[in-house]
Amino acid sequence: MPSPYRCPNCKTNRSRFNLIEQVPTSVKMDSQTGEVIEQYTQDNLDVLHVPYRGPAYKVQCGVCGLVEDEQMFIKHGEQR
Ligand SMILES: [Zn+2]
């Protein structure tokens, strides 16, 4: 079910937003050089590697530019 948003920063914007999809790429890097040695899919992650558990997307206010989790915008959207 959709929920109304309101920007927690500028507090006036309720309608203009950028939805930013979080698409994780899991990699193993060389600890010395930072070079990517291996790239994983979510199915072949090794046991020591914790998969991405953050939100599916973040939200940017289309008026002031604040980037936050969707929950922040929903929480402020409930307050009329
Ligand atoms: Zn804003």
Side-chain angles (χ1 to χ4, degrees):
M1 213 175 70
S3 305
Y5 286 0
R6 182 168 64 130
C7 176
N9 184 51
C10 65
K11 295 183 167 60
T12 51
N13 178 29
R14 292 176 183 273
S15 57
R16 293 174 194 280
F17 302 99
N18 299 316
L19 305 180
I20 310 154
E21 267 189 273
Q22 306 293 93
V23 184
T25 302
S26 301
V27 297
K28 194 177 202 173
M29 282 181 177
D30 183 302
S31 59
Q32 301 297 315
T33 66
E35 189 187 346
V36 174
I37 303 165
E38 204 169 345
Q39 196 162 317
Y40 303 102
T41 66
Q42 296 312 299
D43 302 323
N44 74 354
L45 271 183
D46 71 45
V47 286
L48 299 174
H49 198 123
V50 177
Y52 178 69
R53 295 209 182 93
Y57 55 90
K58 290 220 166 213
V59 178
Q60 182 175 39
C61 173
V63 173
C64 73
L66 177 82
V67 179
E68 265 294 351
D69 287 353
E70 181 187 31
Q71 284 309 315
M72 287 294 289
F73 285 86
I74 292 175
K75 211 169 80 186
H76 285 79
E78 286 164 355
Q79 300 162 10
R80 285 281 149 183

